[in-house]
Amino acid sequence: MSETNSPSAPSPAVLDVWCDLQCPDCHAALDDLRALRARYGDRLDIRLRHFPLEKNRHAYAAAQAAEEAAEQGRGWEFAEALLARTAELGERGEALLTEVAAGLGMDAEEVDTALIDGRHLLIVDADQAEGKAIGVTGTPTYVIGGERLDGGKSQEGLRERIEEIADRLSAG
């Protein structure tokens, strides 16, 4: 609890990253996301938003598994581990999801159970619906300061644009 007369910390800028965890372009975006995390730390809240594409057969299950990973405190770590293995996810599917979870020291059985009981379906469906509503058509797509940036065609210049917006939001 903070003291009443201490100034509150400014709210961080929010960067929503609409992602398909079986998408090679989303894997390519990881370096930019790591650089943004390193530069801004707590001043930029980077949120993974799910947008599984129909062409990627295991992306929907991967999104659900990532939500279970977040419940277990390993959301980004799990997402990054999966993105490093997008081709393998395409081949092995759900078996890889539980293997990655176990490799990270997570409760892999709980990940498997979450996929069976569908406890995270609503979160994934809500993300996807919101993405469609704001015009997301491919991944990765970034939204910061009300501006949508499409990284599905090229990552070129996107980190710099995100930094410009984040700097403006931080200053304002």
Short mmCIF file of all heavy atoms in Angstrom, two decimals, residues 101-166:
data_model
loop_
_atom_site.label_atom_id
_atom_site.label_comp_id
_atom_site.label_asym_id
_atom_site.label_seq_id
_atom_site.Cartn_x
_atom_site.Cartn_y
_atom_site.Cartn_z
N ALA A 101 6.34 -27.41 -21.74
CA ALA A 101 5.93 -27.07 -20.38
C ALA A 101 6.80 -27.82 -19.36
O ALA A 101 7.31 -27.22 -18.41
CB ALA A 101 4.45 -27.40 -20.17
N ALA A 102 6.97 -29.11 -19.57
CA ALA A 102 7.79 -29.91 -18.65
C ALA A 102 9.23 -29.41 -18.64
O ALA A 102 9.86 -29.31 -17.59
CB ALA A 102 7.73 -31.39 -19.04
N GLY A 103 9.75 -29.06 -19.82
CA GLY A 103 11.12 -28.57 -19.93
C GLY A 103 11.35 -27.26 -19.18
O GLY A 103 12.47 -26.96 -18.77
N LEU A 104 10.27 -26.49 -19.00
CA LEU A 104 10.36 -25.22 -18.27
C LEU A 104 10.06 -25.40 -16.79
O LEU A 104 10.01 -24.43 -16.04
CB LEU A 104 9.39 -24.20 -18.87
CG LEU A 104 9.70 -23.72 -20.29
CD1 LEU A 104 8.57 -22.84 -20.82
CD2 LEU A 104 11.02 -22.97 -20.33
N GLY A 105 9.84 -26.65 -16.39
CA GLY A 105 9.55 -26.91 -14.98
C GLY A 105 8.12 -26.62 -14.60
O GLY A 105 7.79 -26.49 -13.42
N MET A 106 7.25 -26.52 -15.59
CA MET A 106 5.83 -26.30 -15.32
C MET A 106 5.15 -27.62 -15.02
O MET A 106 5.72 -28.69 -15.24
CB MET A 106 5.18 -25.65 -16.56
CG MET A 106 5.65 -24.26 -16.86
SD MET A 106 5.07 -23.65 -18.47
CE MET A 106 3.34 -24.08 -18.44
N ASP A 107 3.91 -27.54 -14.58
CA ASP A 107 3.07 -28.72 -14.38
C ASP A 107 2.48 -29.09 -15.74
O ASP A 107 1.45 -28.57 -16.15
CB ASP A 107 1.98 -28.41 -13.36
CG ASP A 107 1.12 -29.62 -13.02
OD1 ASP A 107 1.11 -30.59 -13.81
OD2 ASP A 107 0.46 -29.58 -11.97
N ALA A 108 3.17 -29.99 -16.45
CA ALA A 108 2.77 -30.36 -17.81
C ALA A 108 1.42 -31.08 -17.81
O ALA A 108 0.64 -30.95 -18.76
CB ALA A 108 3.85 -31.23 -18.46
N GLU A 109 1.14 -31.85 -16.78
CA GLU A 109 -0.16 -32.52 -16.69
C GLU A 109 -1.29 -31.50 -16.63
O GLU A 109 -2.35 -31.70 -17.22
CB GLU A 109 -0.22 -33.43 -15.47
CG GLU A 109 0.48 -34.75 -15.68
CD GLU A 109 0.26 -35.71 -14.51
OE1 GLU A 109 -0.85 -35.70 -13.93
OE2 GLU A 109 1.20 -36.45 -14.21
N GLU A 110 -1.05 -30.39 -15.94
CA GLU A 110 -2.08 -29.35 -15.84
C GLU A 110 -2.27 -28.67 -17.19
O GLU A 110 -3.38 -28.28 -17.54
CB GLU A 110 -1.71 -28.34 -14.75
CG GLU A 110 -2.87 -27.50 -14.28
CD GLU A 110 -4.03 -28.29 -13.68
OE1 GLU A 110 -3.83 -29.38 -13.10
OE2 GLU A 110 -5.17 -27.82 -13.81
N VAL A 111 -1.19 -28.52 -17.96
CA VAL A 111 -1.31 -27.97 -19.31
C VAL A 111 -2.18 -28.90 -20.15
O VAL A 111 -3.10 -28.46 -20.84
CB VAL A 111 0.08 -27.77 -19.97
CG1 VAL A 111 -0.06 -27.41 -21.44
CG2 VAL A 111 0.87 -26.69 -19.23
N ASP A 112 -1.91 -30.20 -20.08
CA ASP A 112 -2.69 -31.18 -20.82
C ASP A 112 -4.16 -31.13 -20.39
O ASP A 112 -5.06 -31.14 -21.23
CB ASP A 112 -2.11 -32.58 -20.61
CG ASP A 112 -2.73 -33.61 -21.53
OD1 ASP A 112 -2.85 -33.33 -22.74
OD2 ASP A 112 -3.10 -34.70 -21.03
N THR A 113 -4.40 -31.06 -19.09
CA THR A 113 -5.77 -30.99 -18.58
C THR A 113 -6.47 -29.73 -19.05
O THR A 113 -7.65 -29.76 -19.42
CB THR A 113 -5.77 -31.06 -17.03
OG1 THR A 113 -5.14 -32.28 -16.63
CG2 THR A 113 -7.17 -31.00 -16.46
N ALA A 114 -5.75 -28.62 -19.08
CA ALA A 114 -6.34 -27.36 -19.56
C ALA A 114 -6.74 -27.46 -21.02
O ALA A 114 -7.77 -26.90 -21.43
CB ALA A 114 -5.36 -26.21 -19.35
N LEU A 115 -5.98 -28.19 -21.81
CA LEU A 115 -6.33 -28.38 -23.22
C LEU A 115 -7.57 -29.26 -23.35
O LEU A 115 -8.40 -29.05 -24.23
CB LEU A 115 -5.15 -29.00 -23.99
CG LEU A 115 -3.93 -28.10 -24.14
CD1 LEU A 115 -2.78 -28.88 -24.75
CD2 LEU A 115 -4.26 -26.88 -24.98
N ILE A 116 -7.70 -30.22 -22.46
CA ILE A 116 -8.85 -31.13 -22.50
C ILE A 116 -10.12 -30.42 -22.01
O ILE A 116 -11.17 -30.51 -22.65
CB ILE A 116 -8.57 -32.40 -21.67
CG1 ILE A 116 -7.46 -33.21 -22.34
CG2 ILE A 116 -9.84 -33.24 -21.50
CD1 ILE A 116 -6.87 -34.31 -21.46
N ASP A 117 -10.01 -29.72 -20.87
CA ASP A 117 -11.23 -29.13 -20.30
C ASP A 117 -11.57 -27.76 -20.89
O ASP A 117 -12.65 -27.22 -20.65
CB ASP A 117 -11.19 -29.09 -18.77
CG ASP A 117 -10.19 -28.11 -18.17
OD1 ASP A 117 -9.77 -27.15 -18.84
OD2 ASP A 117 -9.83 -28.31 -16.98
N GLY A 118 -10.67 -27.18 -21.68
CA GLY A 118 -10.97 -25.94 -22.39
C GLY A 118 -11.12 -24.72 -21.50
O GLY A 118 -11.76 -23.75 -21.89
N ARG A 119 -10.47 -24.72 -20.34
CA ARG A 119 -10.66 -23.62 -19.39
C ARG A 119 -10.18 -22.26 -19.91
O ARG A 119 -10.57 -21.24 -19.37
CB ARG A 119 -9.97 -23.95 -18.06
CG ARG A 119 -8.45 -23.95 -18.13
CD ARG A 119 -7.83 -24.33 -16.82
NE ARG A 119 -7.98 -25.78 -16.63
CZ ARG A 119 -7.19 -26.50 -15.87
NH1 ARG A 119 -6.23 -25.93 -15.18
NH2 ARG A 119 -7.37 -27.79 -15.77
N HIS A 120 -9.34 -22.26 -20.94
CA HIS A 120 -8.83 -20.98 -21.46
C HIS A 120 -9.41 -20.60 -22.82
O HIS A 120 -8.98 -19.62 -23.43
CB HIS A 120 -7.30 -21.02 -21.53
CG HIS A 120 -6.66 -21.30 -20.21
ND1 HIS A 120 -6.76 -20.44 -19.13
CD2 HIS A 120 -5.93 -22.36 -19.78
CE1 HIS A 120 -6.11 -20.96 -18.10
NE2 HIS A 120 -5.61 -22.11 -18.46
N LEU A 121 -10.40 -21.36 -23.27
CA LEU A 121 -11.02 -21.08 -24.57
C LEU A 121 -11.57 -19.67 -24.67
O LEU A 121 -11.40 -18.99 -25.69
CB LEU A 121 -12.15 -22.08 -24.86
CG LEU A 121 -11.76 -23.51 -25.18
CD1 LEU A 121 -13.00 -24.39 -25.23
CD2 LEU A 121 -11.01 -23.57 -26.49
N LEU A 122 -12.24 -19.22 -23.63
CA LEU A 122 -12.88 -17.90 -23.68
C LEU A 122 -11.86 -16.78 -23.84
O LEU A 122 -12.11 -15.81 -24.57
CB LEU A 122 -13.74 -17.67 -22.44
CG LEU A 122 -14.99 -18.53 -22.34
CD1 LEU A 122 -15.72 -18.26 -21.01
CD2 LEU A 122 -15.92 -18.29 -23.52
N ILE A 123 -10.71 -16.90 -23.20
CA ILE A 123 -9.67 -15.88 -23.31
C ILE A 123 -9.15 -15.82 -24.75
O ILE A 123 -9.03 -14.75 -25.34
CB ILE A 123 -8.51 -16.15 -22.33
CG1 ILE A 123 -9.00 -15.98 -20.89
CG2 ILE A 123 -7.32 -15.23 -22.61
CD1 ILE A 123 -8.02 -16.47 -19.85
N VAL A 124 -8.85 -17.00 -25.30
CA VAL A 124 -8.33 -17.05 -26.67
C VAL A 124 -9.37 -16.54 -27.66
O VAL A 124 -9.06 -15.72 -28.54
CB VAL A 124 -7.88 -18.49 -27.02
CG1 VAL A 124 -7.44 -18.58 -28.49
CG2 VAL A 124 -6.74 -18.94 -26.10
N ASP A 125 -10.63 -16.97 -27.48
CA ASP A 125 -11.70 -16.52 -28.38
C ASP A 125 -11.91 -15.00 -28.27
O ASP A 125 -12.13 -14.33 -29.27
CB ASP A 125 -13.01 -17.24 -28.07
CG ASP A 125 -12.98 -18.71 -28.51
OD1 ASP A 125 -12.06 -19.11 -29.26
OD2 ASP A 125 -13.89 -19.45 -28.09
N ALA A 126 -11.84 -14.46 -27.05
CA ALA A 126 -12.03 -13.02 -26.85
C ALA A 126 -10.90 -12.23 -27.51
O ALA A 126 -11.15 -11.20 -28.15
CB ALA A 126 -12.12 -12.70 -25.36
N ASP A 127 -9.67 -12.72 -27.35
CA ASP A 127 -8.54 -12.05 -28.01
C ASP A 127 -8.74 -12.03 -29.51
O ASP A 127 -8.57 -11.00 -30.17
CB ASP A 127 -7.22 -12.75 -27.68
CG ASP A 127 -6.58 -12.27 -26.38
OD1 ASP A 127 -7.16 -11.43 -25.69
OD2 ASP A 127 -5.46 -12.75 -26.08
N GLN A 128 -9.09 -13.19 -30.05
CA GLN A 128 -9.25 -13.30 -31.50
C GLN A 128 -10.38 -12.38 -31.99
O GLN A 128 -10.22 -11.69 -33.00
CB GLN A 128 -9.51 -14.75 -31.90
CG GLN A 128 -9.34 -14.99 -33.38
CD GLN A 128 -9.23 -16.46 -33.71
OE1 GLN A 128 -9.91 -17.28 -33.12
NE2 GLN A 128 -8.36 -16.78 -34.63
N ALA A 129 -11.49 -12.35 -31.27
CA ALA A 129 -12.61 -11.49 -31.66
C ALA A 129 -12.22 -10.02 -31.60
O ALA A 129 -12.55 -9.23 -32.50
CB ALA A 129 -13.82 -11.77 -30.76
N GLU A 130 -11.51 -9.63 -30.54
CA GLU A 130 -11.07 -8.24 -30.42
C GLU A 130 -10.11 -7.89 -31.55
O GLU A 130 -10.19 -6.81 -32.14
CB GLU A 130 -10.41 -7.99 -29.06
CG GLU A 130 -10.03 -6.54 -28.86
CD GLU A 130 -9.39 -6.26 -27.51
OE1 GLU A 130 -9.58 -7.04 -26.56
OE2 GLU A 130 -8.68 -5.24 -27.43
N GLY A 131 -9.20 -8.81 -31.85
CA GLY A 131 -8.27 -8.59 -32.95
C GLY A 131 -9.00 -8.35 -34.26
O GLY A 131 -8.70 -7.40 -35.00
N LYS A 132 -9.97 -9.21 -34.55
CA LYS A 132 -10.75 -9.05 -35.79
C LYS A 132 -11.47 -7.71 -35.80
O LYS A 132 -11.53 -7.04 -36.82
CB LYS A 132 -11.74 -10.19 -35.95
CG LYS A 132 -11.08 -11.50 -36.35
CD LYS A 132 -12.09 -12.63 -36.46
CE LYS A 132 -11.38 -13.92 -36.83
NZ LYS A 132 -12.29 -15.08 -36.83
N ALA A 133 -12.01 -7.33 -34.65
CA ALA A 133 -12.77 -6.07 -34.55
C ALA A 133 -11.91 -4.84 -34.83
O ALA A 133 -12.41 -3.84 -35.34
CB ALA A 133 -13.42 -5.96 -33.18
N ILE A 134 -10.63 -4.91 -34.51
CA ILE A 134 -9.75 -3.75 -34.74
C ILE A 134 -8.96 -3.87 -36.04
O ILE A 134 -8.09 -3.07 -36.31
CB ILE A 134 -8.80 -3.48 -33.55
CG1 ILE A 134 -7.84 -4.64 -33.34
CG2 ILE A 134 -9.59 -3.17 -32.29
CD1 ILE A 134 -6.69 -4.34 -32.37
N GLY A 135 -9.25 -4.92 -36.83
CA GLY A 135 -8.64 -5.04 -38.14
C GLY A 135 -7.40 -5.90 -38.24
O GLY A 135 -6.70 -5.86 -39.26
N VAL A 136 -7.11 -6.69 -37.22
CA VAL A 136 -5.97 -7.61 -37.31
C VAL A 136 -6.33 -8.69 -38.32
O VAL A 136 -7.40 -9.29 -38.26
CB VAL A 136 -5.65 -8.25 -35.93
CG1 VAL A 136 -4.55 -9.29 -36.06
CG2 VAL A 136 -5.25 -7.17 -34.92
N THR A 137 -5.43 -8.91 -39.28
CA THR A 137 -5.65 -9.96 -40.28
C THR A 137 -4.51 -10.96 -40.31
O THR A 137 -4.66 -12.05 -40.86
CB THR A 137 -5.83 -9.35 -41.69
OG1 THR A 137 -4.68 -8.58 -42.00
CG2 THR A 137 -7.08 -8.49 -41.77
N GLY A 138 -3.36 -10.58 -39.77
CA GLY A 138 -2.21 -11.47 -39.78
C GLY A 138 -1.35 -11.20 -38.55
O GLY A 138 -1.61 -10.28 -37.78
N THR A 139 -0.34 -12.05 -38.40
CA THR A 139 0.53 -11.93 -37.23
C THR A 139 1.98 -11.82 -37.65
O THR A 139 2.35 -12.35 -38.69
CB THR A 139 0.34 -13.14 -36.29
OG1 THR A 139 0.65 -14.33 -36.99
CG2 THR A 139 -1.07 -13.19 -35.74
N PRO A 140 2.78 -11.13 -36.85
CA PRO A 140 2.40 -10.35 -35.68
C PRO A 140 1.80 -9.01 -36.08
O PRO A 140 2.16 -8.43 -37.09
CB PRO A 140 3.72 -10.16 -34.94
CG PRO A 140 4.75 -10.13 -36.03
CD PRO A 140 4.25 -11.09 -37.07
N THR A 141 0.88 -8.54 -35.26
CA THR A 141 0.33 -7.20 -35.39
C THR A 141 0.49 -6.54 -34.02
O THR A 141 0.24 -7.17 -33.00
CB THR A 141 -1.15 -7.22 -35.82
OG1 THR A 141 -1.24 -7.80 -37.11
CG2 THR A 141 -1.74 -5.82 -35.84
N TYR A 142 0.92 -5.29 -34.03
CA TYR A 142 1.16 -4.56 -32.79
C TYR A 142 0.15 -3.42 -32.68
O TYR A 142 -0.18 -2.79 -33.69
CB TYR A 142 2.57 -3.93 -32.79
CG TYR A 142 3.66 -4.91 -33.11
CD1 TYR A 142 4.10 -5.09 -34.42
CD2 TYR A 142 4.24 -5.68 -32.11
CE1 TYR A 142 5.10 -6.01 -34.72
CE2 TYR A 142 5.24 -6.59 -32.40
CZ TYR A 142 5.67 -6.75 -33.71
OH TYR A 142 6.66 -7.65 -34.00
N VAL A 143 -0.30 -3.16 -31.46
CA VAL A 143 -1.15 -2.00 -31.22
C VAL A 143 -0.57 -1.26 -30.03
O VAL A 143 -0.39 -1.84 -28.95
CB VAL A 143 -2.62 -2.41 -30.95
CG1 VAL A 143 -3.45 -1.17 -30.61
CG2 VAL A 143 -3.21 -3.14 -32.14
N ILE A 144 -0.24 0.01 -30.25
CA ILE A 144 0.30 0.86 -29.19
C ILE A 144 -0.20 2.27 -29.41
O ILE A 144 -0.18 2.77 -30.55
CB ILE A 144 1.85 0.81 -29.13
CG1 ILE A 144 2.36 1.66 -27.96
CG2 ILE A 144 2.47 1.19 -30.45
CD1 ILE A 144 3.84 1.49 -27.67
N GLY A 145 -0.69 2.87 -28.35
CA GLY A 145 -1.19 4.25 -28.46
C GLY A 145 -2.27 4.42 -29.49
O GLY A 145 -2.37 5.46 -30.14
N GLY A 146 -3.10 3.40 -29.68
CA GLY A 146 -4.19 3.46 -30.65
C GLY A 146 -3.77 3.24 -32.09
O GLY A 146 -4.59 3.28 -33.00
N GLU A 147 -2.49 2.99 -32.32
CA GLU A 147 -1.99 2.77 -33.68
C GLU A 147 -1.71 1.29 -33.91
O GLU A 147 -1.07 0.64 -33.09
CB GLU A 147 -0.72 3.58 -33.92
CG GLU A 147 -0.27 3.55 -35.37
CD GLU A 147 0.84 4.55 -35.67
OE1 GLU A 147 0.96 5.56 -34.96
OE2 GLU A 147 1.59 4.29 -36.62
N ARG A 148 -2.21 0.76 -35.01
CA ARG A 148 -2.00 -0.63 -35.38
C ARG A 148 -0.85 -0.73 -36.39
O ARG A 148 -0.83 0.00 -37.38
CB ARG A 148 -3.28 -1.23 -35.99
CG ARG A 148 -3.19 -2.74 -36.17
CD ARG A 148 -4.47 -3.31 -36.79
NE ARG A 148 -4.49 -2.99 -38.21
CZ ARG A 148 -5.48 -2.35 -38.84
NH1 ARG A 148 -6.53 -1.95 -38.19
NH2 ARG A 148 -5.40 -2.10 -40.13
N LEU A 149 0.10 -1.60 -36.09
CA LEU A 149 1.27 -1.79 -36.96
C LEU A 149 1.32 -3.25 -37.38
O LEU A 149 1.39 -4.14 -36.52
CB LEU A 149 2.56 -1.41 -36.21
CG LEU A 149 2.59 -0.01 -35.61
CD1 LEU A 149 3.73 0.12 -34.63
CD2 LEU A 149 2.69 1.03 -36.70
N ASP A 150 1.30 -3.51 -38.67
CA ASP A 150 1.25 -4.87 -39.19
C ASP A 150 2.66 -5.39 -39.44
O ASP A 150 3.37 -4.87 -40.28
CB ASP A 150 0.44 -4.89 -40.48
CG ASP A 150 0.32 -6.28 -41.09
OD1 ASP A 150 0.76 -7.26 -40.46
OD2 ASP A 150 -0.21 -6.39 -42.21
N GLY A 151 3.05 -6.42 -38.68
CA GLY A 151 4.37 -7.01 -38.85
C GLY A 151 4.36 -8.28 -39.67
O GLY A 151 5.39 -8.91 -39.84
N GLY A 152 3.20 -8.67 -40.17
CA GLY A 152 3.11 -9.92 -40.94
C GLY A 152 3.82 -9.87 -42.27
O GLY A 152 4.27 -10.89 -42.76
N LYS A 153 3.90 -8.69 -42.86
CA LYS A 153 4.57 -8.57 -44.16
C LYS A 153 6.06 -8.31 -43.98
O LYS A 153 6.89 -8.85 -44.69
CB LYS A 153 3.92 -7.47 -44.98
CG LYS A 153 2.50 -7.78 -45.38
CD LYS A 153 1.90 -6.67 -46.21
CE LYS A 153 0.50 -6.99 -46.65
NZ LYS A 153 -0.47 -7.11 -45.58
N SER A 154 6.40 -7.45 -43.01
CA SER A 154 7.80 -7.12 -42.76
C SER A 154 7.94 -6.52 -41.36
O SER A 154 7.08 -5.76 -40.92
CB SER A 154 8.29 -6.11 -43.80
OG SER A 154 9.56 -5.62 -43.44
N GLN A 155 9.05 -6.86 -40.71
CA GLN A 155 9.36 -6.28 -39.40
C GLN A 155 10.14 -4.98 -39.56
O GLN A 155 10.37 -4.27 -38.59
CB GLN A 155 10.20 -7.27 -38.57
CG GLN A 155 9.49 -8.55 -38.22
CD GLN A 155 8.36 -8.32 -37.24
OE1 GLN A 155 8.55 -7.72 -36.20
NE2 GLN A 155 7.17 -8.76 -37.60
N GLU A 156 10.52 -4.68 -40.79
CA GLU A 156 11.38 -3.53 -41.08
C GLU A 156 10.81 -2.23 -40.54
O GLU A 156 9.70 -1.84 -40.88
CB GLU A 156 11.57 -3.41 -42.60
CG GLU A 156 12.61 -2.40 -43.02
CD GLU A 156 14.02 -2.84 -42.68
OE1 GLU A 156 14.30 -4.05 -42.72
OE2 GLU A 156 14.83 -1.95 -42.37
N GLY A 157 11.56 -1.59 -39.66
CA GLY A 157 11.18 -0.29 -39.13
C GLY A 157 10.13 -0.29 -38.03
O GLY A 157 9.83 0.75 -37.47
N LEU A 158 9.56 -1.46 -37.72
CA LEU A 158 8.48 -1.49 -36.73
C LEU A 158 8.98 -1.18 -35.32
O LEU A 158 8.31 -0.47 -34.57
CB LEU A 158 7.76 -2.84 -36.75
CG LEU A 158 6.85 -3.07 -37.94
CD1 LEU A 158 6.15 -4.42 -37.82
CD2 LEU A 158 5.82 -1.96 -38.08
N ARG A 159 10.12 -1.73 -34.94
CA ARG A 159 10.61 -1.47 -33.58
C ARG A 159 10.84 0.03 -33.39
O ARG A 159 10.48 0.59 -32.36
CB ARG A 159 11.88 -2.26 -33.27
CG ARG A 159 12.30 -2.05 -31.81
CD ARG A 159 13.41 -2.97 -31.39
NE ARG A 159 14.69 -2.38 -31.75
CZ ARG A 159 15.80 -3.06 -31.94
NH1 ARG A 159 15.81 -4.36 -31.82
NH2 ARG A 159 16.91 -2.46 -32.25
N GLU A 160 11.41 0.68 -34.39
CA GLU A 160 11.67 2.11 -34.29
C GLU A 160 10.36 2.89 -34.15
O GLU A 160 10.26 3.83 -33.37
CB GLU A 160 12.45 2.60 -35.52
CG GLU A 160 13.87 2.07 -35.61
CD GLU A 160 13.98 0.64 -36.13
OE1 GLU A 160 12.97 0.06 -36.62
OE2 GLU A 160 15.07 0.06 -36.02
N ARG A 161 9.34 2.47 -34.90
CA ARG A 161 8.04 3.14 -34.83
C ARG A 161 7.41 2.92 -33.45
O ARG A 161 6.86 3.85 -32.85
CB ARG A 161 7.12 2.63 -35.94
CG ARG A 161 5.77 3.30 -35.95
CD ARG A 161 5.88 4.77 -36.36
NE ARG A 161 4.57 5.40 -36.23
CZ ARG A 161 4.34 6.50 -35.54
NH1 ARG A 161 5.32 7.14 -34.95
NH2 ARG A 161 3.13 6.99 -35.46
N ILE A 162 7.51 1.70 -32.92
CA ILE A 162 6.99 1.40 -31.58
C ILE A 162 7.71 2.25 -30.54
O ILE A 162 7.09 2.81 -29.64
CB ILE A 162 7.12 -0.11 -31.27
CG1 ILE A 162 6.15 -0.90 -32.14
CG2 ILE A 162 6.87 -0.39 -29.78
CD1 ILE A 162 6.39 -2.40 -32.15
N GLU A 163 9.04 2.38 -30.70
CA GLU A 163 9.82 3.20 -29.76
C GLU A 163 9.40 4.67 -29.81
O GLU A 163 9.28 5.32 -28.77
CB GLU A 163 11.32 3.06 -30.05
CG GLU A 163 11.87 1.71 -29.65
CD GLU A 163 13.31 1.49 -30.09
OE1 GLU A 163 13.82 2.25 -30.95
OE2 GLU A 163 13.93 0.54 -29.59
N GLU A 164 9.15 5.19 -31.02
CA GLU A 164 8.69 6.58 -31.15
C GLU A 164 7.38 6.78 -30.38
O GLU A 164 7.23 7.76 -29.65
CB GLU A 164 8.44 6.93 -32.62
CG GLU A 164 9.66 7.10 -33.47
CD GLU A 164 9.30 7.26 -34.95
OE1 GLU A 164 8.11 7.51 -35.27
OE2 GLU A 164 10.20 7.10 -35.78
N ILE A 165 6.46 5.86 -30.56
CA ILE A 165 5.15 5.98 -29.90
C ILE A 165 5.30 5.80 -28.39
O ILE A 165 4.73 6.57 -27.61
CB ILE A 165 4.15 4.95 -30.49
CG1 ILE A 165 3.90 5.26 -31.97
CG2 ILE A 165 2.84 4.97 -29.70
CD1 ILE A 165 3.17 4.16 -32.72
N ALA A 166 6.09 4.81 -27.97
CA ALA A 166 6.30 4.57 -26.54
C ALA A 166 6.95 5.78 -25.88
O ALA A 166 6.56 6.17 -24.76
CB ALA A 166 7.15 3.31 -26.33
#
